[in-house]
Amino acid sequence: MNSTKWVAKMKNILLIFQLFVLPSCIFSLDTITLNKPIKDGDVLTSSKKFFALGFFSPGNSSNRYVGIWYNKVQEQTIVWVANRNNPVTNTSGLLAVISHGGLVIYGNEKSTPLWSANVTVSSPNNSVIAKLLDTGNLVVVENNGKVLWQGFDYPSNTLLPFMKIGLDRRSGLNRFLTSWKSQDDPGIGNCSYRIEPSESPQLFLYKGQAPFWRSGSWTGERWSGVPVMTKNFIFNATFVNNEDEVSVMYSIVDESIFSKVVIDESGIVERSTWHDQVHQWVKFWSAPVEQCDFYGKCGPNSNCDPYIADEFECKCLPGFEPKLQHEWYLRDGSAGCVRRKGSSVCQNGEGFVKFERVKVPYSSTTRVNMSMSLKACQEECLRNCSCMAYANADERQGGNGCVHWHGDLMDTRTYSDTGQDLYLRVDAIVLAQYAKKSNGSFGKKRKLEVSLISGLVFLLLLSLACWLVMRKRKVRRSRDKFPFSVTTTPSYWEDSPARTDIDESRINSDLPFFELSTIAKATNNFAFNNKLGTGGFGSVYKGVLYNGNEIAVKRLAKNSGQGIGEFKNEVLLISKLQHRNLVRIIGCCVQDEEKILIYEYLPNGSLDFFIFDEAKRAFLDWTRRFEIICGIARGILYLHQDSRLKIIHRDLKASNVLLDSAMNPKISDFGMARIFGAEQIEANTNRVVGT
Ligand SMILES: *[C@@H]1O[C@H](CO)[C@@H](O)[C@H](O)[C@H]1NC(C)=O
Ligand SMILES: *[C@@H]1O[C@H](CO)[C@@H](O)[C@H](O)[C@H]1NC(C)=O
Ligand SMILES: *[C@@H]1O[C@H](CO)[C@@H](O)[C@H](O)[C@H]1NC(C)=O
Ligand SMILES: *[C@@H]1O[C@H](CO)[C@@H](O)[C@H](O)[C@H]1NC(C)=O
């Protein structure tokens, strides 16, 4: 035996030894060729060992799938799956390149593949290999270097750096992420993350067919609804929108950073980065997380603002009103808003008000012109009555380009800092209101101004009240008859014979004062779960006192229209009134900026809750209704005639009638009530209140 033959033989033995004897971990090539399929147990690794490919079983499943995972991440993190809907049920699987150029997965049956990557070779003589790249992309390449197929064109639930999602307008190929069916099943699930290739393309998250979240349009360097993208140093985003394609791709600044975007089974999309020191994936961003992130939360023509403490997030856009007032009151904004009746925004003195720091809306018809200035954009929008709003299309360099929205405006929301300016079409009346308030802009600045103005008004009212009291005292001393005044809020002070010299301590002595800490404890720190509803002036919470008594806590919004004056009004009135058809006040709390009223808790809620509900209204038969009507009438009669005061409620409606456990009606919400002179049968008012 000569030496060359001997070497060749040794090589063969070594090869056989490698293939069949050594454990599969040393099988670390990055390519699959015609004669070298991947068996279950073999692992292919990319040249820099970033990614690995092989058969795996997800979660508790015993099914086998061909997948790609991070080679260096201890906890196996699958980023791509080939045979998502066609698992191999045992370990006989094989991933092979076949002679006419395809990449296939075989199970037990070696004649019909379970899965195949469809490729067309340029020439039947060309050979083909499959290769795992360091980006995590599995490619099928011809020997002339032409890529025939790539795994990145068929994403699973993970978006990797350098992977595009979006539509290839020439071939029609649409790349998007789809969730797994479950942790144990990588099959195509219900949720998807894709670019909607409209005039103003944006990313949408869908649950089934229903949009769940959207990114907002591309503003030059970020999505309108992903403010966090502005300050990141991990990746660069490339957005392309031309006749060839509409796509987005994230490239990583440093290839040793592992960053991924995953859509999970519940439809949440999350970007995370691998931190080697702590051995875990650290979340960088995810959506939807807040109420305002959910598409359609506030319906059409409204804005979702999560930064108004203690109030309903949904607010109709200027010039609009809730479509279903009652649902809106119950904090269901999904029906959205409609233009106020009689409002005209077509060639009738209309204009635009500025909305700051928002995710710009979505509408069925959007027009974009990248070469139009903001001024031309406004003029163009004004000319067309169906144009509802406009904004800069690109926010770089101080803003350029133009977007117009026609039709209902969906899914606008406010951010605390980063956000775009949106210009909304409003009628002449609203325009005048905004011009007066704040030079047409809308947002934090306005709130500040409003609170300044209301502060001034309050001071003014207070001095007026003091002046009146002083005058009254003088008048009384001189035994003159002081004429009843209808124009100032505290005028009832003069007209109650029992209350000629009311001072703070006397009001208070009639009514228990509660510590804020007691109320906070009783309501679980004003927990959202304790909230019973939101009224005109703040929110009402259910609470339980130390002694186990249930209470209803009316917490007046700090910036509510109800000033100290109205607050005292309500406290005063209601503590003096005793009637079985009026809600009973238990106490109050004035501390720091808080103004709180504590009432008896009425377990059956308000009358509107029954009569506007299809199912519940059946519960109120005519006998019961008649009793309720009589009860309300008795309460009103007492207020108008039988009490020592003469009180006009001024906001009597079903939601202000509460029901006790025996369905007895009790009138509530006296914040806006007014007292009239005992002899008085007619009065004028300068302030319009109520609903
Ligand atoms: C390849 O084509 C077949 C038949 O058209 C199709 O069922 C299969 O899903 C395709 N494979 C891939 C990976 O797209
Ligand atoms: C996905 O859709 C199927 C069929 O429509 C349904 O049974 C299932 O509950 C859905 N899963 C999720 C997570 O929504
Ligand atoms: C875009 O705006 C420019 C400047 O106003 C105008 O000349 C051009 O015709 C517009 N393009 C389209 C497609 O409307
Ligand atoms: C207004 O704009 C819409 C959407 O671009 C368009 O369909 C319609 O023809 C325009 N109307 C007028 C009067 O220009």
Side-chain angles (χ1 to χ4, degrees), residues 154-328:
Y154 305 92
S156 298
N157 67 350
T158 306
L159 179 68
L160 290 172
F162 307 105
M163 186 172 187
K164 269 182 189 174
I165 51 174
L167 177 69
D168 183 328
R169 295 198 210 263
R170 298 216 180 266
S171 69
L173 177 73
N174 195 5
R175 311 172 201 93
F176 54 88
L177 305 186
T178 46
S179 62
W180 283 21
K181 280 190 171 136
S182 73
Q183 300 275 335
D184 303 333
D185 184 355
I188 294 172
N190 291 357
C191 305
S192 61
Y193 187 51
R194 57 173 85 204
I195 290 188
E196 193 76 350
S198 61
E199 179 82 9
S200 170
Q202 42 201 292
L203 279 165
F204 266 85
L205 204 53
Y206 287 97
K207 227 175 190 174
Q209 300 299 313
F212 190 44
W213 174 84
R214 83 187 165 101
S215 66
S217 46
W218 185 255
T219 68
E221 49 195 11
R222 65 180 186 102
W223 301 105
S224 178
V226 191
V228 71
M229 279 176 75
T230 1
K231 347 165 232 214
N232 96 84
F233 306 99
I234 305 173
F235 55 83
N236 293 319
T238 313
F239 175 73
V240 178
N241 183 22
N242 56 28
E243 58 274 22
D244 292 335
E245 64 176 315
V246 48
S247 70
V248 70
M249 185 187 84
Y250 301 94
S251 51
I252 204 84
V253 179
D254 173 351
E255 66 167 9
S256 68
I257 295 174
F258 298 150
S259 173
K260 61 180 171 65
V261 176
V262 176
I263 174 172
D264 74 12
E265 297 79 58
S266 58
I268 307 287
V269 60
E270 176 176 306
R271 177 181 282 281
S272 56
T273 307
W274 177 254
H275 282 222
D276 223 14
Q277 304 87 340
V278 291
H279 302 297
Q280 62 188 21
W281 290 99
V282 175
K283 183 168 98 178
F284 173 73
W285 166 83
S286 90
V289 284
E290 306 181 293
Q291 285 297 311
C292 287
D293 286 341
F294 291 94
Y295 186 87
K297 158 85 185 159
C298 295
N301 306 314
S302 60
N303 180 50
C304 196
D305 183 351
Y307 305 103
I308 16 181
D310 220 30
E311 273 184 49
F312 187 29
E313 307 84 358
C314 300
K315 291 272 174 291
C316 289
L317 293 174
F320 288 82
E321 62 192 3
K323 188 173 180 202
L324 302 175
Q325 195 80 45
H326 184 251
E327 275 75 0
W328 198 266

Side-chain angles (χ1 to χ4, degrees), residues 508-543:
N508 301 347
S509 65
D510 293 350
L511 194 67
F513 254 65
F514 285 81
E515 290 288 323
L516 186 56
S517 58
T518 310
I519 302 304
K521 203 165 273 178
T523 57
N524 200 5
N525 208 15
F526 302 101
F528 185 80
N529 285 346
N530 285 43
K531 194 169 269 186
L532 296 171
T534 307
F537 292 126
S539 304
V540 182
Y541 299 82
K542 185 183 172 178

